[in-house]
Amino acid sequence: MSRNGITRRTLLAAAAAGATAASTAGFLAGTTWRAVAGAPAILKALPPERFVDFGTNAETRWASVDPRRYLTPQPDLFVRNHTVTPTIDASSYRLRVFGDAVRRERSLSLRDLRGFRPAEVTTVHECTGNGRSFFASQQGESVSGTAWTLGAVGTVTWQGVRLADVLRALGVSRDAVSIQATGLDPSYATGGVDYGPVRRPFPITKAYDDALLAWGMNGQPLLPDHGYPLRLVLPGWVGIASIKWLGSLEVSSTELTSPWNTKWYRLTGGSYPADAPPLSVNPVRSAWELPLGAQLARRHRIELTGRSWSGAGPIKRVEVSLDGGATWRTAKLADRGRRGAGWSRWSVVWKHPAAGEHTLLARATDVRGRTQPDVTPYNSNGYFFDAVVRHPVTVV
Ligand SMILES: Nc1nc2c(c(=O)[nH]1)N[C@H]1C(S)=C(S)[C@@H](COP(=O)(O)O)O[C@H]1N2
Ligand SMILES: [Mo]
C-alpha cells in the first residue's frame, strides 16, 4: 500500500491500460483509479507556520521566507494538485513519446534519460492564479479558483535534461508544431464532467528553446508532490505548463488542444475576446516577506524585505511606497546579474515609522519594461493578478 492508499500495482496497471488507450484517444484515458476517501492529496508535511492548507493545494506563507536564502527549499514550495499526488515506482517508470511527428514511438526509462547531457536551470515557479484573492479583497470582484494570496510561487533550481536533446535524439520531423504533455495523476473531474488526466499542449519552439525534463530540485530528487520521478519544466511560463508525473509527450504536426488550454488557463469573461490565446509567460509580481496585517515593533529604523519576479526575465527596478502610495522610493535590489530566471530580492529601510496602520506597496519593472499596474482587468478565473498589492501593517 502506498501512503495515499493507492497501490503501486493499481497505478502501474492503470498507466499500462492508459498507454494503450492513448494511441487512439491521444491521452491516458485509462487512469481512472481513485484515492481512498480521507487520504491526503498532498503527502509532504504542511506545518501551519509555513503553509496555508487548501486541501489539494498549499500556499507558502511569505512571512516564513528566509530573506537570506535565495532558493525556495523543496519542503517549503507551494503545491498545486488538480487531484492527488500519485505514488510512482521510479524503477518501472517510463516516459512515452509518440505522435505523428516522431519517427517511432519510444518508452524511455529514467536510466535512458540520464544518458543525456545533464542540464540545470533556475526559474521562478508560479501558479497562474497566484494573487487571485486580491481580485476580491482589492477590486471587489468575485472570481473562481483557489484564493491564493501571493504564496503560490517559489524560485528553484531544476536538474534534468533538455527536452531539445531528447527530441533530437529520437528524430522529430520538421513539421512538428505542438507537444502535448500528460500527467500520470488521476483524471480530473469537476461539475460532473471527467476531463481526463491533466495535460496541456505547448509549441515545439518552447521545447527547442529551454524546456527541461526534470528529476531534481535544488540538488535533491523531486518530492512526490512536485512530480517524482519526472516532470516537465517550461521556464517562465504558467505553472500548469510544467506537467508533473510526466507520463507521455505527444509530438504532433497539427495543433493539439486540451481543456487546460481551451477551457482553463486563458483569460475569459470581462472584456476578453472569446478567442483569447492560452496563457504562457507569467506576469510581473511582488511580495513583502511579511504576513498581511503584520504587527511591526516600533523602532528608529525597520528593514523591510521582499521579492519581485517576472516570467519574461530579470527584474530591473522595484519602487516601494510606505504610505499607501503617496510617496515612492526605489528599493535596494539584491541578486542583480544572477544567472538564470529566478526572482530578485530587495530591501528598504523605514526610518521613524509612526505608530498606527500603514499600507505598503511594491511595484516592479522587468527587463522587458513590463511593470505592475494599479488594477488587473477582471477575468472570470482570476488568473494573472499582477496589480500592485496593498499590504496592510500596523506599527505598535
Ligand atoms: N500532472 C499534473 N501536473 C501539474 C498539475 C497537476 O495537477 N497535475 N498542476 C499544475 C499547476 S496548476 C501548477 S501551478 C504546478 C504546481 O507545481 P508544484 O505543485 O510542484 O508546485 O504544477 C502543474 N502541473
Ligand atoms: Mo497553477
Side-chain angles (χ1 to χ4, degrees):
M1 246 353 217
S2 72
R3 269 186 292 169
N4 60 357
I6 300 155
T7 65
R8 202 169 62 188
R9 218 172 322 122
T10 314
L11 172 60
L12 294 174
T20 318
S23 20
T24 48
F27 61 85
L28 296 175
T31 48
T32 52
W33 49 283
R34 289 276 175 269
V36 170
I42 296 174
L43 301 181
K44 73 179 184 181
L46 301 173
E49 66 280 11
R50 283 193 276 135
F51 287 99
V52 182
D53 188 344
F54 289 102
T56 59
N57 306 319
E59 164 165 20
T60 308
R61 290 190 193 273
W62 270 100
S64 72
V65 172
D66 179 350
R68 290 160 303 185
R69 213 191 257 258
Y70 183 70
L71 295 180
T72 308
Q74 189 170 204
D76 295 353
L77 185 64
F78 81 97
V79 181
R80 162 64 172 124
N81 281 348
H82 281 74
T83 60
V84 298
T85 293
T87 300
I88 296 171
D89 175 25
S91 61
S92 50
Y93 168 84
R94 296 288 182 277
L95 170 64
R96 186 168 163 253
V97 185
F98 69 105
D100 73 352
V102 284
R103 198 173 296 142
R104 67 185 170 90
E105 179 171 334
R106 290 286 296 274
S107 273
L108 303 169
S109 66
L110 289 168
R111 236 182 116 199
D112 296 333
L113 290 168
R114 284 184 190 275
F116 289 90
R117 185 158 43 109
E120 189 171 270
V121 62
T122 298
T123 69
V124 175
H125 175 57
E126 184 176 37
C127 184
T128 327
N130 198 23
R132 177 181 285 123
S133 67
F134 297 106
F135 276 105
S137 63
Q138 200 160 297
Q139 301 187 177
E141 292 161 342
S142 97
V143 294
S144 47
T146 301
W148 307 110
T149 57
L150 281 169
V153 64
T155 286
V156 301
T157 300
W158 306 98
Q159 285 82 32
V161 293
R162 290 173 60 91
L163 177 54
D165 290 347
V166 175
L167 293 180
R168 286 200 186 98
L170 297 190
V172 167
S173 74
R174 273 168 193 230
D175 57 2
V177 295
S178 184
I179 303 188
Q180 177 106 273
T182 301
L184 291 168
D185 39 343
S187 290
Y188 178 63
T190 182
V193 180
D194 188 336
Y195 290 94
V198 177
R199 62 201 187 282
R200 197 172 196 255
F202 61 100
I204 190 85
T205 46
K206 184 68 175 168
Y208 284 125
D209 180 14
D210 59 359
L212 204 73
L213 299 175
W215 54 69
M217 190 193 294
N218 304 339
Q220 299 291 322
L222 292 175
L223 288 174
D225 296 314
H226 295 297
Y228 179 88
L230 192 81
R231 83 180 292 166
L232 179 65
V233 174
L234 299 191
W237 282 33
V238 289
I240 184 61
S242 293
I243 294 293
K244 302 194 273 189
W245 315 295
L246 187 62
S248 69
L249 292 170
E250 178 182 358
V251 189
S252 171
S253 62
T254 57
E255 287 294 344
L256 299 171
T257 64
S258 93
W260 284 266
N261 81 330
T262 57
K263 181 176 173 59
W264 304 297
Y265 303 100
R266 291 175 44 239
L267 298 173
T268 53
S271 54
Y272 289 102
D275 61 351
L279 291 171
S280 56
V281 178
N282 267 327
V284 186
R285 292 173 172 116
S286 303
W288 299 84
E289 291 166 351
L290 289 171
L292 291 163
Q295 301 241 326
L296 304 172
R298 193 170 167 201
R299 267 179 276 131
H300 287 309
R301 71 196 290 284
I302 300 178
E303 187 178 44
L304 298 172
T305 56
R307 303 185 191 213
S308 299
W309 58 94
S310 158
I315 294 297
K316 200 172 74 186
R317 186 172 66 248
V318 180
E319 298 149 288
V320 296
S321 172
L322 309 175
D323 54 12
T327 61
W328 292 82
R329 70 186 80 176
T330 307
K332 189 174 153 208
L333 266 189
D335 307 318
R336 218 189 262 280
R338 211 176 241 279
R339 281 178 43 212
W343 50 23
S344 291
R345 289 172 293 183
W346 44 260
S347 61
V348 58
V349 175
W350 195 2
K351 289 184 184 144
H352 310 298
E357 291 176 11
H358 302 268
T359 303
L360 311 180
L361 286 79
R363 170 186 282 122
T365 303
D366 70 13
V367 287
R368 296 280 177 82
R370 304 189 313 162
T371 195
Q372 297 182 252
D374 293 328
V375 173
T376 300
Y378 166 87
N379 69 92
S380 48
N381 286 315
Y383 299 131
F384 275 22
F385 188 91
D386 61 345
V388 175
V389 167
R390 302 182 65 82
H391 189 126
V393 297
T394 306
V395 176
V396 289

